[in-house]
Amino acid sequence: MASAVRCRRVEQPIFSTRAHVFQIDPTTKKNWVPTSKHAVTVSYFYDSTRNVYRIISLDGSKAIINSTITPNMTFTKTSQKFGQWADSRANTVYGLGFSSENNLLKFAEKFAEFKEAARLAKEKSQEKMELTSTPSQESATGDLQSPLTPESINGTDDERGTTPETPQYLPEPRAEPSQNQLPFSHSSSSINKHWEAELAALKGNNAKLTAALLESTANVKQWKQQLAAYQEEAERLHTRVTELECVSGQMTVIKSQKTELNQTIEELESALKSKEEELERLKEEVESANEFQTQKESLTQKLQETEERNQTLEAQLVEIEQRLEGSQLERDAFRKSLRTLLELLDGKIFELTELRDSLARLIEGSSS
């Protein structure tokens, strides 16, 4: 909880967008290797404590981009929806694929803006460091030179064997009391022995100081290596802590994205519900269409039966017409024969009438 509060106070996302993240292949230095399976949130962060700008992107809890913006960085637009920049600290090249050219232009604009801000912040921090480091450097120089002053006077020239006058110059303050004691000395050999003893003591001191200097130099180198290792470890721990803090710092963004996803899910659920209703309606229409098809097939079958029956009736009608025509011909023949018979009967009747008349005349003639 404390780390999350610290991240909110120290480092906040000042611009966010979504993109597909790529890194250059470390082997070929030519091909792009995707580091995210889908589009993720890429954010600019400002660390007010260290006064730096960073680009951070997380895929779940894994940081796939953690790039500190420096004044010598350049964001290059390689296509309408793709851009890249090189990070010398991470020894890689990052690439971002955006969904539109507008998002790419906004990201590039923010990159240039924060790059300029990083340059100004670096210049200000350098000025402050120069102002604060000047007195400390002078004090540190004095501390380093103070143990070397007797060493440069006593031991450097004597160790190299270039100036034999150095041991004669150092004991001059002691030479005056020894010269004052000359009247009390019995011979010059005691003075020579004294100077030889002084010279031997100075050489011993010079050797001790040289060994101490070499030891201190080795210790300084060791301390510098340890300090560099500690600084690297501190930087790594700080980066890790910042990543963990930024995970908490992105909770707001994640919550907003979760809200958006929930809204999208609700919209998709409503759309799915409407599609299901439409599917049910289409099923009902298909069922009704199937019923219509069944009715159509039934009517078609009935129509075929009716046509067959009609053809049968037509055949029967033709047969009846043929029969009727035959009966008509028979009737005409019967009528013709009947007329012939009537004509014969009329002739016979006429002959009978003439016969009756002739018989009547005969009867009348015979009676008279």
Side-chain angles (χ1 to χ4, degrees):
M1 185 68 183
S3 62
V5 173
R6 182 187 170 195
C7 184
R8 293 193 189 96
R9 290 183 301 176
V10 176
E11 203 164 12
Q12 283 286 342
I14 51 182
F15 178 78
S16 297
T17 186
R18 293 184 68 82
H20 292 270
V21 180
F22 300 85
Q23 282 190 15
I24 200 71
D25 189 350
T27 304
T28 62
K29 298 295 183 181
K30 293 181 180 179
N31 301 325
W32 289 106
V33 178
T35 57
S36 62
K37 296 181 180 179
H38 49 80
V40 295
T41 301
V42 182
S43 303
Y44 286 98
F45 279 81
Y46 175 65
D47 190 345
S48 58
T49 303
R50 298 190 299 166
N51 199 18
V52 295
Y53 295 86
R54 293 198 300 161
I55 302 173
I56 295 176
S57 178
L58 299 177
D59 188 3
S61 60
K62 178 183 178 183
I64 56 179
I65 296 180
N66 186 6
S67 177
T68 302
I69 299 176
T70 59
N72 58 351
M73 282 186 178
T74 301
F75 184 81
T76 305
K77 176 185 174 184
T78 58
S79 66
Q80 291 184 351
K81 297 182 181 181
F82 193 86
Q84 65 184 43
W85 78 95
D87 190 344
S88 59
R89 294 184 178 180
N91 193 22
T92 187
V93 179
Y94 294 104
L96 296 179
F98 296 89
S99 59
S100 65
E101 185 177 6
N102 187 22
N103 292 337
L104 171 61
L105 294 176
K106 286 183 180 179
F107 188 88
E109 180 182 353
K110 293 295 182 181
F111 192 97
E113 177 184 346
F114 299 143
K115 171 185 172 182
E116 180 65 19
R119 185 185 66 81
L120 296 175
K122 184 177 180 181
E123 290 179 354
K124 290 181 180 179
S125 62
Q126 286 179 349
E127 291 177 358
K128 291 181 179 179
M129 288 178 64
E130 289 176 357
L131 292 175
T132 56
S133 63
T134 301
S136 62
Q137 287 178 355
E138 291 177 354
S139 62
T141 304
D143 293 337
L144 289 174
Q145 289 178 353
S146 58
L148 297 179
T149 302
E151 187 176 340
S152 62
I153 294 173
N154 295 330
T156 305
D157 293 336
D158 182 61
E159 182 182 0
R160 295 177 183 177
T162 55
T163 55
E165 297 177 356
T166 302
Q168 295 179 359
Y169 175 78
L170 286 173
E172 283 183 357
R174 297 184 181 181
E176 292 180 359
S178 62
Q179 290 177 357
N180 294 327
Q181 294 174 1
L182 285 176
F184 302 96
S185 62
H186 297 284
S187 64
S188 60
S189 59
S190 61
I191 297 174
N192 293 331
K193 290 181 181 179
H194 175 75
W195 285 117
E196 289 177 358
E198 289 288 339
L199 181 59
L202 289 174
K203 286 183 178 180
N205 292 332
N206 184 32
K208 292 179 181 179
L209 290 173
T210 302
L213 177 62
L214 294 175
E215 184 179 359
S216 62
T217 304
N219 291 333
V220 167
K221 290 181 180 179
Q222 185 179 0
W223 294 338
K224 285 182 178 179
Q225 292 175 356
Q226 292 179 354
L227 179 61
Y230 292 155
Q231 288 177 347
E232 291 179 358
E233 182 68 15
E235 183 67 22
R236 187 183 66 80
L237 292 176
H238 178 76
T239 303
R240 180 59 180 166
V241 169
T242 305
E243 291 175 359
L244 295 176
E245 291 174 351
C246 291
V247 172
S248 301
Q250 285 187 339
M251 288 301 294
T252 305
V253 178
I254 294 172
K255 286 181 180 178
S256 62
Q257 292 177 357
K258 183 179 179 182
T259 304
E260 294 176 358
L261 289 174
N262 290 331
Q263 293 177 355
T264 306
I265 291 171
E266 291 178 358
E267 293 174 358
L268 292 174
E269 287 179 351
S270 62
L272 180 62
K273 187 177 181 180
S274 62
K275 293 294 183 182
E276 289 178 351
E277 293 176 354
E278 185 177 359
L279 183 62
E280 291 294 331
R281 183 177 59 81
L282 290 174
K283 285 182 179 179
E284 292 177 357
E285 291 180 356
V286 169
E287 290 177 357
S288 62
N290 291 332
E291 292 178 359
F292 291 153
Q293 185 69 23
T294 304
Q295 292 178 1
K296 180 182 176 182
E297 291 176 355
S298 177
L299 292 174
T300 303
Q301 186 176 1
K302 289 180 180 180
L303 180 61
Q304 289 178 354
E305 293 176 355
T306 304
E307 287 179 352
E308 292 176 356
R309 186 178 299 175
N310 189 18
Q311 290 177 358
T312 304
L313 292 175
E314 285 180 355
Q316 292 176 359
L317 180 61
V318 170
E319 185 180 358
I320 291 171
E321 286 178 352
Q322 290 178 354
R323 289 179 181 178
L324 183 61
E325 186 177 357
S327 63
Q328 186 70 27
L329 292 174
E330 291 177 355
R331 183 183 296 177
D332 290 340
F334 179 73
R335 284 179 181 179
K336 188 175 180 180
S337 62
L338 185 60
R339 284 176 184 172
T340 304
L341 182 61
L342 288 173
E343 290 176 354
L344 290 172
L345 286 174
D346 286 339
K348 295 297 182 181
I349 291 172
F350 182 73
E351 290 178 354
L352 287 173
T353 301
E354 287 182 349
L355 180 61
R356 184 180 66 83
D357 288 340
S358 63
L359 286 176
R361 281 193 303 265
L362 287 174
I363 293 170
E364 288 178 356
S366 64
S367 65
S368 60

